[in-house]
Amino acid sequence: MPKMTTFSEYDGLGLAELVRKRAVTPGELVEAAIDRIEDHNPTLNAVVYKGYEDARRWATEALPDGPFKGVPFLIKDLGMPVAGWPRSHGSKFARGVVDTEDGGLTARFRAAGVIPLGKTNTPEYGITGTTESAALGPCRNPWNPNHISGGSSGGAASAVAAGIVPLAHASDGLGSIRIPAACCGLVGLKVTRDRNPNMPDGFDYALGNVVDHVVSRTVRDSAAMLDATGYPEPGSPYPAPPKERPYLEEVQRSPGKLRIAWSSETPSGRPIDPEIQDALERTAALLKGLGHEVIEKGLGIDYRALFASRGPAAAANFAAGMARLIEQVGHEPEPDELEPLTWASLKAGRRQTGADVMRSLQETRMLNRQTLAFFEDVDVYLTPVLGTPVPEIGFIDPVNLEPKEVNRRQARVFPFTPPFNFSGQPSMSLPLEMDSNGLPIGMMFTGRYADEATLFRLAAQLEKEAPWKDRRPRVWG
């Protein structure tokens, strides 16, 4: 039997194979993961709720015979109910709220065979691209704990990068899977809109802008989990187009010769950091060397109009979600129960009229045509995920900075991810590069609507040609 200390070297499918071969029991994997949480969480603050006794009990029960049978797993403390567990949304206001039943996607994760161990850190209501909150405190990056782990799935990414678990639940509304994956050196796929159903608990998912999946260390774990969870429910009103074959098969297939556009074009027109630019150009050269047709070409969309169009609907969506939470909590939030940026978002949402929201949705839908049209003659679009190196803790501080300054800094650091939440396209961060300070640089590959298959094939090719699996952060399991 492998030693406990070596379990972190396996990905999720690898651990499940050990379970199937009876080389290890699910209970032993749970205990090993608990040991790693206890070792590393004092430094990282990645896990904010510990469901150890539940996990130990589940490990002794009959587990579904899914692809990840017996594999320890973590769930983000935002938007994903687990029966009997609290869900703070990263906020003082929601502390004490306990879910009475599993959410729809929680049930699908369980059917895949995973054993939930606890909840991971998230910023307040997932608003920022850094995981720092007054309620839960900052989550730190295993590569350098002075730096952010990204957000809003920062706790998930920190835990996976540190070898605590091989994959963990994450969600993405404006980049919240891809940003932490890039910061922590992981694979992070934002799936196509409605690929992973989030009903019956998907009220706050912004009409498909927000999606759930996982962050992982390997491409095949991401593919296998999406195979397990990514199918429509009978009542899905807008199911994603069906896949041609299992994604786990796609990672074994050649991507063929793809037409790949790359660019460092930003919404503001401001150039990105030179070190990120150099990494982008090396990635483009790597792709050309692999036989792909590689062209430098930006989206060329009206970014200002696109971002402005989404504002009223996004604000009203947040206010609607808060209204449901206020009903559940039983009172309006007190002044010290929400952070400044959250208060600003709530007040903005409450000011919107029905006409404002409908105009917002209409304009965004029409402007998305610009983004989608770009892919008529391009298979994949390549950019970095971040426009700068991974910032230090406190640079984007939603607790102490004025909201306008928080958003100004976020716009500079995270300029690339939002358009593909609006258009619903799949978009994946891969940890292809490292900066001069030893922190990861994530490259973002965006595909046509519903075409995760091409991204998985390309990602598997790059995983072989530029392998990241042997890199180890400073904090490791």
Side-chain angles (χ1 to χ4, degrees):
M1 184 184 77
K3 295 180 180 179
M4 292 279 191
T5 54
T6 68
F7 287 143
S8 56
E9 301 292 339
Y10 290 81
D11 68 358
L13 291 176
L15 289 179
E17 181 66 16
L18 293 179
V19 171
R20 277 191 289 273
K21 291 179 176 178
R22 299 190 177 183
V24 66
T25 67
E28 288 169 329
L29 293 181
V30 165
E31 292 302 329
I34 289 172
D35 287 345
R36 292 196 292 275
I37 293 172
E38 294 303 303
D39 284 345
H40 299 315
N41 211 52
T43 298
L44 300 176
N45 191 29
V47 179
V48 295
Y49 175 77
K50 300 174 181 179
Y52 295 167
E53 294 311 309
D54 286 333
R56 286 170 172 141
R57 185 180 73 258
W58 294 329
T60 66
E61 298 172 351
L63 294 167
D65 193 23
F68 296 99
K69 183 177 182 179
V71 176
F73 191 70
L74 292 165
I75 292 178
K76 184 177 176 180
D77 195 23
L78 176 73
M80 188 62 56
V82 179
W85 285 10
R87 181 160 46 120
S88 76
H89 304 269
S91 177
K92 293 179 179 179
F93 177 62
R95 280 182 168 173
V97 172
V98 176
D99 288 307
T100 58
E101 58 184 18
D102 282 350
L105 190 54
T106 305
R108 292 193 177 194
F109 285 139
R110 288 192 194 273
V114 299
I115 301 174
L117 283 176
K119 292 282 194 83
T120 58
N121 204 341
T122 183
E124 189 165 68
Y125 303 103
I127 293 175
T128 56
T130 180
T131 300
E132 303 173 57
S133 70
L136 301 179
C139 181
R140 298 179 180 275
N141 194 316
W143 295 88
N144 185 332
N146 293 323
H147 290 254
I148 71 170
S149 61
S152 61
S153 306
S158 179
V160 172
I164 290 171
V165 291
L167 73 169
H169 164 245
S171 58
D172 191 313
L174 288 173
S176 292
I177 288 176
R178 291 158 291 165
I179 289 168
C183 290
C184 294
L186 302 174
V187 176
L189 170 65
K190 184 205 84 67
V191 299
T192 297
R193 172 180 295 141
D194 293 315
R195 177 69 74 193
N196 269 329
N198 46 50
M199 304 303 260
D201 39 270
F203 287 106
D204 299 342
Y205 280 67
L207 298 178
N209 265 32
V210 180
V211 298
D212 290 284
H213 189 39
V214 296
V215 288
S216 63
R217 291 199 302 273
T218 64
V219 174
R220 71 174 192 163
D221 271 3
S222 183
M225 185 57 88
L226 191 54
D227 281 332
T229 61
Y231 56 92
E233 295 176 316
S236 296
Y238 311 110
K243 61 191 178 187
E244 184 176 348
R245 61 182 64 85
Y247 296 124
L248 197 54
E249 291 183 16
E250 298 290 4
V251 301
Q252 304 298 324
R253 298 170 66 90
S254 167
K257 183 176 182 178
L258 300 174
R259 180 172 169 84
I260 302 175
W262 68 275
S263 179
S264 58
E265 169 189 280
T266 62
S268 68
R270 179 186 296 152
I272 62 175
D273 183 273
E275 193 167 14
I276 307 299
Q277 179 72 36
D278 290 346
L280 173 63
E281 293 177 9
R282 287 193 298 270
T283 301
L286 170 63
L287 292 165
K288 186 174 182 180
L290 291 172
H292 300 293
E293 180 185 357
V294 180
I295 59 171
E296 185 175 2
K297 179 183 179 183
L299 281 180
I301 63 175
D302 189 338
Y303 288 100
R304 184 181 296 275
L306 178 63
F307 289 4
S309 76
R310 190 64 194 176
N317 180 78
F318 180 67
M322 284 298 296
R324 277 186 292 275
L325 183 59
I326 288 165
E327 289 178 5
Q328 189 175 10
V329 173
H331 64 83
E332 285 279 331
E334 299 292 338
D336 64 345
E337 288 184 310
L338 297 178
E339 296 168 9
L341 184 59
T342 308
W343 271 119
S345 300
L346 179 57
K347 291 174 181 177
R350 288 175 168 175
R351 287 195 299 268
Q352 306 306 317
T353 67
D356 293 335
V357 173
M358 288 308 302
R359 182 181 178 90
S360 171
L361 294 171
Q362 291 165 355
E363 290 184 348
T364 302
R365 180 173 179 269
M366 298 307 292
L367 288 164
N368 281 336
R369 295 166 67 92
Q370 297 177 359
T371 305
L372 294 163
F374 178 84
F375 288 83
E376 290 179 3
D377 65 348
V378 168
D379 298 305
V380 175
Y381 181 51
L382 164 67
T383 70
V385 179
L386 275 64
T388 70
V390 180
E392 291 189 351
I393 296 283
F395 178 72
I396 305 168
D397 183 351
V399 180
N400 296 304
L401 291 175
E402 290 295 320
K404 286 185 178 180
E405 181 62 16
V406 172
N407 287 329
R408 187 186 72 80
R409 295 185 184 194
Q410 289 202 111
R412 181 176 182 183
V413 179
F414 315 123
F416 296 107
T417 54
F420 309 112
N421 292 88
F422 303 151
S423 65
Q425 294 168 256
S427 188
M428 177 185 284
S429 177
L430 296 176
L432 296 183
E433 292 276 345
M434 301 291 290
D435 70 19
S436 58
N437 291 318
L439 286 158
I441 299 175
M443 290 291 146
M444 188 169 77
F445 299 83
T446 301
R448 293 190 177 99
Y449 191 85
D451 190 15
E452 285 93 342
T454 293
L455 294 185
F456 277 127
R457 291 194 294 264
L458 178 59
Q461 182 185 51
L462 290 168
E463 191 175 34
K464 293 176 183 176
E465 295 297 325
W468 52 83
K469 63 183 176 64
D470 295 327
R471 297 180 190 150
R472 295 291 179 265
R474 183 183 304 180
V475 177
W476 175 245

